[in-house]
């Protein structure tokens, strides 16, 4: 005698029957969005402009942290991919995201910015200048750039959403001077360049 087993529908068929596409799930890119390559010098433009701003306020330069830059780049990617905004768009703080990557900090400050053009894509220089001008004019963001930080993580991602060319930039400023034993970072993490 043959036995008959009823199989439950898989998650994919259940979502389809509910009218939900996989791209609508949390963290997934909309079907009409696509990442575009951002030149590696975008980070350098932001770092140089940030340190120039700090010099104008008699503050020491911040040095680029490869590990914090990965965290910043990942968060910029999340904001760009999902078209969300905010410091806690993924449900975590900058401190939480750093901690998840094994980084302890005494103090942390975060800036994020999103800009877009609808006809032609802005140059990386135009987009980074737009972010820096916004941060300088915003009292809270300017305070972050003038913080007692010594290290910075910088992430820049580009996405095309329908007809909008979107740049998302994230700065994470860190002070780890209170830590008894500050871990040394490994070699720099290269920018992901997507064709």
């Amino acid at each position: 005698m043959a036995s008959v087993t009823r199989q439950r529908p898989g998650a994919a068929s259940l979502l389809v029957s509910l009218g939900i596409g996989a791209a609508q799930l949390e963290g997934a890119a909309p079907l009409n969005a696509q990442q575009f390559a951002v030149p590696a010098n975008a980070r350098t433009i932001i770092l140089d402009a940030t340190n120039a701003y700090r010099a104008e306020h008699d503050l020491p330069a911040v040095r680029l942290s490869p590990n914090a830059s990965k965290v910043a780049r990942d968060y910029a990617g999340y904001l760009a991919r999902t078209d969300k905004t905010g410091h806690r768009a993924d449900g975590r703080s900058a401190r939480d995201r750093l901690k998840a990557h094994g980084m302890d900090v005494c103090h942390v400050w975060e800036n994020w910015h999103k800009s877009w053009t609808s006809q032609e894509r802005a140059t990386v220089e135009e987009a980074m200048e737009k972010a820096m001008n916004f941060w300088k004019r915003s009292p809270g963001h300017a305070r972050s750039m003038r913080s007692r930080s010594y290290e910075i993580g910088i992430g820049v991602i580009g996405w095309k959403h329908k007809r909008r060319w979107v740049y998302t930039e994230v700065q994470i400023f860190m002070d780890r001077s209170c830590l008894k034993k500050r871990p040394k970072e490994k070699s720099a993490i290269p920018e992901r360049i997507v064709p």
Side-chain angles (χ1 to χ4, degrees):
M1 175 179 235
S3 67
V4 178
T5 56
R6 282 183 93 178
Q7 291 187 343
R8 295 171 24 146
S13 61
L14 181 60
L15 290 174
V16 169
S17 68
L18 293 173
I20 301 171
Q24 292 173 298
L25 296 175
E26 183 66 30
L31 294 176
N32 51 8
Q34 178 180 354
Q35 189 171 1
F36 64 84
V38 173
N41 70 330
R43 241 182 9 184
T44 304
I45 293 169
I46 290 178
L47 178 64
D48 291 347
T50 300
N51 281 330
Y53 178 79
R54 288 175 63 87
E56 291 170 11
H57 292 87
D58 299 319
L59 294 167
V62 288
R63 77 173 179 81
L64 191 64
S65 162
N67 292 338
S69 290
K70 179 177 181 351
V71 173
R73 187 174 58 243
D74 289 350
Y75 190 56
Y78 176 84
L79 294 175
R81 184 178 65 253
T82 61
D83 210 14
K84 291 185 176 186
T85 59
H87 292 285
R88 290 177 166 266
D90 65 351
R92 301 181 300 162
S93 68
R95 181 182 299 277
D96 295 336
R97 288 188 291 276
L98 289 167
K99 186 81 171 163
H101 281 79
M103 296 186 74
D104 290 322
V105 294
C106 308
H107 304 283
V108 63
W109 303 263
E110 178 183 69
N111 287 342
W112 68 268
H113 179 263
K114 189 180 277 196
S115 63
W116 63 88
T117 54
S118 58
Q119 296 300 318
E120 293 183 24
R121 184 170 70 185
T123 66
V124 71
E125 292 81 9
E126 291 167 335
M128 299 312 104
E129 181 179 2
K130 199 178 229 185
M132 287 303 303
N133 287 338
F134 173 80
W135 289 331
K136 288 179 194 177
R137 286 192 314 265
S138 167
H141 295 94
R143 260 192 312 277
S144 293
M145 291 198 301
R146 294 190 311 268
S147 64
R148 60 178 184 220
S149 52
Y150 302 97
E151 298 173 272
I152 187 172
I154 301 171
V156 181
I157 297 289
W159 275 77
K160 186 169 186 208
H161 288 275
K162 295 183 183 177
R163 294 185 179 144
R164 292 182 304 139
W165 297 92
V166 181
Y167 284 94
T168 305
E169 307 87 7
V170 173
Q171 293 177 308
I172 300 175
F173 295 90
M174 301 181 307
D175 171 19
R176 298 195 290 171
S177 63
C178 71
L179 303 177
K180 293 188 187 305
K181 187 176 180 183
R182 281 184 50 203
K184 297 208 184 240
E185 292 196 31
K186 296 178 181 169
S187 62
I189 300 166
E191 285 287 328
R192 276 189 298 225
I193 304 298
V194 177

